[in-house]
Amino acid sequence: MRRVLLLVVAMVAGLVGAVATPQVANAAEVVNVVGLSPTRTAVFIHSPAMNQVVQVQILHPAGGGSRPNYYLLDGLHPGVNESTWTNATDAERFFLGKNVNVVMPVGGFASYYTDWDRPDPRFGNYKWETFLTRELPPIIDGQFGGNGVDAIGGLSMGGNSAFILAARNPWLYRAVAGFSACPDTAMSMPAIVASIAMRGGDPTNMWGPINGAGWRDHDPALVADRLRGKALYISTGTGLPGPHELELKPQLAENILTGGPVEAMVFACVVGFEQRLRGMGVPAHFAYRPLGTHSWSYWQDDLHDSWPMIGSAIGA
């Protein structure tokens, strides 16, 4: 009887371990590493899930030692040769001297950084969740000094995706940040569908029929309890022109005419998401800006404003 009991306990432990630490059947492989500076490295990784090479750039300390990781995601139009975080903000200078790996995937146009149900004729075979949560972390921890303590964040599409990934893989992240993002999939569904369709993709190739089970499976608002205990940061402006619209820049008209209405929609959605979290008793920090459009200058501000909370949560 004792032997049978021990066998049952062992089987249960094995099952729990299998759930808590999913394994990758075919491990991703680093095919090239390019040192861009003493504190910035480009890593080219073959993803078995997507069957393609994905570039990831890492901001890191100049010296050795271990450190936590902050996965930082891009928006609908990510950079081609580098993340827009390093192209449009002071992220590289801001993280200089901080004991953290800032891990920025390059690519993922209109992908929502998720595993699509089917390959899309426009976008191809998107399996970003598998890449970001299964294939990439062992490489960052094993070859680039990561200590397994992770946070994830992003702007707009990337902010939604950060919360979706954290809700679906809660064991991975201690902190989550979303800038001008509304991680309530049901509330933001029309915007998600339009954002994919307007760029030539088929939204039903992502999570199946609109408002079907696949979309509900990717709705952090429905499983917000999985976010409990994490440091959560969400920011939004109101869409009204703010201090950065006083700056003369080529994209000023676009920021006001397009970024204003988009941010106003995000603001309304975030208010609803806050009510959902409060109703479930899940603590989160909501940073409401009285002014501000859907544009990079504000996301740089949000990156700075959120870092004390995110960095503290991961011990950076």
Side-chain angles (χ1 to χ4, degrees), residues 244-291:
H244 290 301
E245 277 66 57
L246 298 176
E247 304 164 359
L248 295 178
K249 55 184 70 173
Q251 62 272 35
L252 180 59
E254 179 184 358
N255 290 351
I256 295 175
L257 297 177
T258 302
V262 169
E263 193 73 0
M265 290 189 292
V266 171
F267 180 88
C269 191
V270 168
V271 169
F273 186 63
E274 180 183 15
Q275 293 172 349
R276 172 69 69 118
L277 291 192
R278 289 189 183 280
M280 299 182 69
V282 177
H285 177 75
F286 287 83
Y288 290 105
R289 289 182 264 104
L291 303 171

Side-chain angles (χ1 to χ4, degrees), residues 8 22 34 66 112 116 129 154 219 231 298:
V8 170
V34 179
S66 65
Y112 284 86
W116 284 46
E129 179 175 348
D219 192 340
Y298 295 101

Side-chain angles (χ1 to χ4, degrees), residues 17-285:
V19 172
T21 55
Q23 300 297 311
V24 181
N26 299 305
E29 180 182 1
V30 174
V31 298
N32 194 21
V33 178
V34 179
L36 303 176
S37 80
T39 58
R40 181 176 173 184
T41 300
V43 187
F44 296 84
I45 300 167
H46 179 262
S47 162
M50 291 194 275
N51 193 28
Q52 69 181 61
V53 174
V54 179
Q55 183 187 175
V56 175
Q57 292 198 4
I58 310 169
L59 304 178
H60 52 80
S66 65
R67 54 260 184 181
N69 310 302
Y70 187 17
Y71 291 81
L72 199 54
L73 306 181
D74 229 323
L76 279 163
H77 292 266
V80 176
N81 298 313
E82 62 179 304
S83 166
T84 316
W85 279 108
T86 52
N87 185 45
T89 78
D90 67 350
E92 185 169 10
R93 184 170 67 252
F94 177 72
F95 284 106
L96 191 65
K98 294 179 173 59
N99 191 44
V100 63
N101 286 328
V102 181
V103 183
M104 301 168 292
V106 179
F109 177 74
S111 68
Y112 284 86
Y113 294 106
T114 191
D115 284 2
W116 284 46
D117 284 358
R118 297 182 298 274
D120 186 84
R122 170 71 173 87
F123 302 144
N125 182 36
Y126 276 162
K127 296 293 180 184
W128 280 97
E129 179 175 348
T130 296
F131 178 73
L132 290 170
T133 66
R134 307 294 193 271
E135 296 176 342
L136 181 57
I139 291 173
I140 299 300
D141 290 342
Q143 301 184 38
F144 296 95
N147 64 7
V149 178
D150 299 335
I152 189 167
L155 74 305
S156 193
M157 178 192 82
N160 286 21
S161 303
F163 274 83
I164 292 169
L165 291 170
R168 288 173 56 82
N169 306 272
W171 57 85
L172 281 179
Y173 308 108
R174 295 191 184 181
V176 191
F179 313 135
S180 293
C182 181
D184 185 319
T185 300
M187 293 179 65
S188 55
M189 188 179 304
I192 295 174
V193 170
S195 68
I196 294 171
M198 290 172 61
R199 288 158 181 83
D202 182 349
T204 65
N205 285 334
M206 187 166 72
W207 296 324
I210 306 304
N211 204 28
W215 290 71
R216 293 190 292 274
D217 288 343
H218 293 80
D219 192 340
L222 297 180
V223 290
D225 196 62
R226 296 180 187 174
L227 301 172
R228 190 184 306 277
K230 305 181 188 302
L232 306 177
Y233 179 101
I234 303 173
S235 66
T236 179
T238 59
L240 296 173
H244 290 301
E245 277 66 57
L246 298 176
E247 304 164 359
L248 295 178
K249 55 184 70 173
Q251 62 272 35
L252 180 59
E254 179 184 358
N255 290 351
I256 295 175
L257 297 177
T258 302
V262 169
E263 193 73 0
M265 290 189 292
V266 171
F267 180 88
C269 191
V270 168
V271 169
F273 186 63
E274 180 183 15
Q275 293 172 349
R276 172 69 69 118
L277 291 192
R278 289 189 183 280
M280 299 182 69
V282 177
H285 177 75

